[in-house]
């Protein structure tokens, strides 16, 4: 066949098979018997998830009907079985393979979100599943990935079966709920249709009755009042019917059950601990180390200040002054100038280290050092 004839025949073959894309007729040729869909429009191609090599249904029946056999594609050593052959769903065989791998991984790694207490743990689990899937799809470190996959499957066999059972139960309940909702919708439509038909007949009968009354010579005002009364009764009946339908719909929704709500596992509630007193100093000790502050000091300056209204009126406390004076007086304890000079002359410490040592000693002397140190 010439190239021009092939280019003209390809659209015809594509019309005969909607799954055929722009790859041409070569993808529609069986690699075993060389049968073409162009010559046989009813030709069906099957693939096996063991190797994903495509071949026609006739070759599958001829080669694998008597039992497992090696794949007839040159270079493939996989052993195939007939019952595993199926039609290709996606045009790209790589997509077909990835979908199968993801289904296989999802059947084993089927933990649910409500089994985790922290969202971070659930995200880490999903990330691990995606890493395994990526390695299997792209053939990265297959031995280690398959080992992790099999170990997880053996270690969590009971959980996998339980989650599979729950998934089937949810799917069945959801299907039943959808079926009940469709049935209820059909009943509502049928009831609305019957109600519209009854209202139309009643309206037609009322119109004919009105014409007959006016034709018989009755008072028009009286006829109008009677018509208004009948209209009010009809509206009341419609409102009652609508209310009854709403009640039936609410009862049906309650009977079918509430929708499934998924989320993280509920954490066990812990008993609240009593609140601790606030520590404004953050654990710093403020008790003096070398002295104890007294309530009274027999010093004329302190006694006169305590009696002076000008000092005490603003909330001044003499104890603050006495404490500050004592801290300043005792702040030099533990500092030996001779030792510092000797260390500096030997070059053991520099000025910065010496200043740090002095500040540490001052803090310890004043009792302001951290309690944890």
């Amino acid at each position: 066949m010439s190239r021009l004839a092939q280019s003209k025949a390809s659209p015809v073959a594509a019309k005969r098979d909607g799954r055929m894309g722009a790859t041409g007729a070569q993808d529609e040729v069986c690699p075993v018997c060389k049968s073409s869909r162009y010559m046989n429009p009813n030709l069906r191609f099957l693939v096996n998830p063991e190797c994903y090599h495509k071949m026609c249904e006739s070759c599958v029946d001829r080669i694998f009907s008597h039992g497992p056999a090696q794949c007839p594609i040159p270079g493939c050593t996989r052993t195939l079985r007939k019952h595993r052959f199926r039609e290709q769903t996606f045009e790209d065989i790589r997509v077909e393979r990835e979908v199968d791998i993801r289904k296989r991984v999802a059947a084993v790694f089927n933990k649910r979100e409500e089994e985790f207490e922290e969202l971070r743990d659930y995200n880490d689990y999903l990330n691990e599943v995606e890493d395994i899937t990526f390695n299997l799809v792209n053939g990265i470190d297959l031995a280690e990935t398959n080992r992790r996959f099999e170990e997880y499957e053996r270690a969590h066999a009971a959980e996998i079966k339980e989650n599979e059972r729950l998934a089937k139960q949810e799917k069945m309940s959801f299907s039943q709920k959808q079926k009940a909702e469709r049935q209820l919708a059909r009943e509502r439509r049928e009831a609305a249709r019957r109600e519209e038909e009854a209202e139309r007949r009643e309206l037609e009968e009322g119109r004919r009755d009105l014409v007959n009354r006016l034709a018989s010579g009755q008072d028009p005002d009286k006829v109008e009042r009677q018509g208004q009364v009948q209209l009010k009764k009809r509206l009341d009946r419609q409102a009652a019917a609508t209310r009854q339908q709403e009640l039936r719909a609410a009862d049906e929704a309650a009977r079918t059950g509430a929708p499934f709500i998924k989320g993280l596992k509920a954490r066990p509630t812990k008993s609240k601990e009593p609140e601790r007193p606030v520590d404004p100093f953050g654990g710093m000790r403020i008790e003096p180390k070398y002295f104890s502050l007294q309530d009274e000091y027999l010093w004329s300056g302190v006694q006169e200040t305590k009696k002076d209204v000008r000092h005490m009126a603003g909330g001044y406390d003499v104890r603050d002054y006495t404490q500050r004076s004592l801290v300043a007086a005792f702040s030099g304890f533990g500092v030996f100038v001779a030792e510092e000079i000797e260390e500096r002359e030997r070059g053991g410490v520099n000025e910065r280290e010496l200043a740090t040592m002095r500040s540490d000693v001052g803090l310890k002397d004043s009792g302001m050092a951290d309690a944890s140190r």
Side-chain angles (χ1 to χ4, degrees):
M1 183 183 295
S2 65
R3 185 174 301 178
L4 180 61
Q6 290 180 359
S7 62
K8 291 182 179 179
S10 296
V12 177
K15 289 182 180 179
R16 290 175 179 174
D17 186 7
R19 296 173 303 169
M20 182 176 177
T23 55
Q26 292 182 355
D27 289 344
E28 300 300 315
V29 175
C30 177
V32 180
C33 65
K34 307 304 180 183
S35 299
S36 173
R37 191 186 293 275
Y38 176 74
M39 302 300 297
N40 184 8
N42 298 323
L43 191 64
R44 293 178 65 239
F45 287 93
L46 304 177
V47 294
N48 195 303
E50 286 291 332
C51 60
Y52 292 95
H53 287 137
K54 182 168 60 174
M55 61 191 73
C56 67
E57 188 176 12
S58 300
C59 291
V60 172
D61 293 336
R62 176 173 52 84
I63 299 174
F64 302 100
S65 293
H66 300 288
Q70 184 176 341
C71 179
I73 303 299
C76 183
T77 59
R78 296 292 183 89
T79 300
L80 308 181
R81 291 168 174 80
K82 182 180 178 180
H83 72 277
R84 299 205 62 187
F85 278 91
R86 56 179 172 80
E87 286 195 71
Q88 184 176 342
T89 305
F90 300 94
E91 182 178 356
D92 192 344
I93 199 65
R94 293 173 297 181
V95 177
E96 186 88 13
R97 178 174 173 271
E98 181 176 350
V99 170
D100 290 342
I101 291 176
R102 289 189 176 275
K103 288 181 180 179
R104 176 191 168 202
V105 173
V108 175
F109 290 87
N110 58 354
K111 279 191 174 182
R112 305 151 67 88
E113 185 179 359
E114 53 265 28
E115 297 183 39
F116 298 87
E117 293 184 358
E118 298 288 342
L119 182 60
R120 177 62 181 271
D121 297 337
Y122 181 59
N123 290 335
D124 292 342
Y125 170 77
L126 295 179
N127 189 41
E128 180 184 2
V129 174
E130 188 60 30
D131 289 342
I132 293 176
T133 305
F134 182 82
N135 291 345
L136 293 177
V137 170
N138 296 278
I140 301 174
D141 199 5
L142 288 179
E144 177 64 20
T145 304
N146 286 322
R147 184 189 63 79
R148 290 171 55 192
F149 185 87
E150 293 171 359
E151 286 182 356
Y152 181 89
E153 187 175 9
R154 287 193 300 268
H156 301 82
E159 297 179 10
I160 293 172
K161 290 183 179 179
E162 179 64 18
N163 289 333
E164 184 179 358
R165 184 188 65 81
L166 292 176
K168 290 181 179 179
Q169 183 179 357
E170 288 183 0
K171 184 177 180 180
M172 186 180 302
S173 300
F174 183 71
S175 300
Q176 292 176 354
K177 183 178 180 180
Q178 283 187 324
K179 184 178 179 181
E181 289 179 353
R182 288 194 295 268
Q183 179 65 23
L184 184 61
R186 285 195 296 268
E187 293 177 358
R188 285 199 296 264
R189 289 195 298 269
E190 184 65 22
R193 187 189 63 80
R194 290 195 300 266
E195 184 179 353
E196 290 178 359
E197 185 67 21
E199 183 179 356
R200 186 185 61 80
R201 288 197 302 267
E202 185 178 358
L203 186 61
E204 186 66 24
E205 292 175 358
R207 187 180 294 109
R208 286 199 301 267
D209 183 62
L210 178 62
V211 172
N212 293 334
R213 288 183 181 182
L214 293 176
S216 62
Q218 294 185 9
D219 186 8
D221 295 336
K222 183 179 179 180
V223 172
E224 182 181 1
R225 287 194 299 270
Q226 291 177 353
Q228 291 178 355
V229 172
Q230 292 178 357
L231 177 61
K232 185 177 183 304
K233 290 181 179 180
R234 186 168 63 251
L235 293 177
D236 292 341
R237 287 197 300 269
Q238 291 178 359
T242 304
R243 178 60 179 169
Q244 192 67 22
Q245 290 179 1
E246 292 176 355
L247 292 176
R248 284 200 302 268
D251 294 340
E252 185 66 22
R255 186 172 59 84
T256 54
F260 294 101
I261 300 177
K262 298 183 179 180
L264 296 174
K265 184 192 299 184
R267 299 182 183 179
T269 57
K270 299 180 180 179
S271 58
K272 293 185 178 180
E273 298 180 356
E275 295 184 0
R276 298 179 180 179
V278 179
D279 185 6
F281 298 100
M284 300 290 290
R285 294 196 311 268
I286 60 174
E287 294 82 6
K289 182 178 180 181
Y290 297 109
F291 64 91
S292 58
L293 189 63
Q294 304 296 324
D295 294 333
E296 293 289 340
Y297 286 95
L298 301 178
W299 181 38
S300 59
V302 175
Q303 297 296 332
E304 292 176 0
T305 303
K306 290 177 65 176
K307 297 176 182 179
D308 193 347
V309 181
R310 293 175 299 177
H311 292 287
M312 306 304 295
Y316 180 76
D317 191 356
V318 180
R319 290 169 55 88
D320 295 337
Y321 169 74
T322 55
Q323 183 178 11
R324 186 166 59 251
S325 301
L326 291 172
V327 168
F330 286 93
S331 61
F333 274 29
V335 178
F336 302 97
V337 180
E339 293 180 0
E340 292 183 6
I341 295 175
E342 184 178 355
E343 288 289 338
R344 184 168 54 187
E345 290 177 353
R346 289 203 307 263
V349 293
N350 54 26
E351 293 294 335
R352 181 175 298 179
E353 294 177 353
L354 186 60
T356 304
M357 293 170 57
R358 288 175 179 173
S359 62
D360 291 341
V361 172
L363 283 175
K364 292 179 181 179
D365 291 341
S366 61
M368 295 295 290
D370 193 347
S372 61
R373 295 178 61 183

